[in-house]
Amino acid sequence: MGFRGGLNTQKKSKQVTKMIYRAGLLTLIIVLAPLGHFIADGWAMDKKAYENIYIDQFANMMDQKDFILINVHVPYYAEIAQTDLLLPFNAIEQHKKDLPKDKNTKMVVYCMMGPMGDIAAEKLANMGYNRVSNFQGGMMAWTQAGRHLQRRPK
């Protein structure tokens, strides 16, 4: 009889341990679950404050241009016709005076292929502009589509 009582005590001890473990895990989930929402919103790596556009969409937009077109490539190489501003991607903040006052102004940035445009678009979005697009592929995609670039005289 003493032996059976020892087994029951062991069994009960394991059950209590499982219950405590489950209760602790449940508490942890309840406490941390709401934080997931804030972490996902604040640290999402794929969430961007601007839109990437590609050659077909950009070409259509150029047919009915209603935005400010900004070449951010450094050093200056050339530009797409109807470019409104030349601003170095790494000095956007220093050119606030050249940017529109209205933060709802539609803007498209481009560079040679895209990376400098990504940086510039992110900076503009961080400055409060909410209608920013980055033309992925930039001047390379433009010329590969049979379009021409122009150069400003030095």
Side-chain angles (χ1 to χ4, degrees):
M1 258 201 333
F3 182 69
R4 261 195 248 155
L7 280 178
N8 283 340
T9 305
Q10 262 186 329
K11 217 180 217 185
K12 285 181 184 178
S13 177
K14 283 184 179 180
Q15 288 175 341
V16 169
T17 303
K18 281 184 181 179
M19 286 175 46
I20 291 171
Y21 174 77
R22 287 180 182 157
L25 188 59
L26 183 60
T27 302
L28 188 63
I29 290 169
I30 290 170
V31 169
L32 294 180
L35 292 177
H37 173 72
F38 295 109
I39 291 170
D41 283 351
W43 294 346
M45 297 304 279
D46 61 344
K47 185 177 180 182
K48 294 186 179 186
Y50 62 91
E51 173 188 21
N52 281 318
I53 58 173
Y54 299 88
I55 184 63
D56 293 335
Q57 185 179 1
F58 179 70
N60 288 336
M61 290 171 68
M62 288 297 286
D63 289 340
Q64 298 176 2
K65 188 173 176 285
D66 64 346
F67 56 90
I68 293 176
L69 183 59
I70 307 171
N71 180 350
V72 297
H73 187 74
V74 175
Y76 177 81
Y77 171 76
E79 63 194 71
I80 296 169
Q82 300 183 55
T83 293
D84 300 298
L85 293 170
L86 302 174
L87 301 176
F89 81 98
N90 56 350
I92 295 287
E93 299 91 343
Q94 288 85 359
H95 291 273
K96 275 186 193 178
K97 66 181 182 338
D98 300 319
L99 294 168
K101 303 265 184 268
D102 182 1
K103 302 289 184 175
N104 290 313
T105 302
K106 190 173 178 183
M107 293 187 276
V108 175
V109 298
Y110 71 93
C111 63
M112 184 63 72
M113 295 189 312
M116 292 178 191
D118 275 323
I119 294 167
E122 186 70 33
K123 286 182 179 186
L124 287 166
N126 288 339
M127 292 169 67
Y129 291 97
N130 54 38
R131 297 183 69 198
V132 180
S133 298
N134 175 38
F135 171 31
Q136 280 293 328
M139 290 183 264
M140 293 294 283
W142 190 249
T143 57
Q144 287 172 352
R147 310 280 183 128
H148 300 284
L149 298 175
Q150 61 187 32
R151 289 191 173 86
R152 293 184 183 197
K154 290 185 179 186

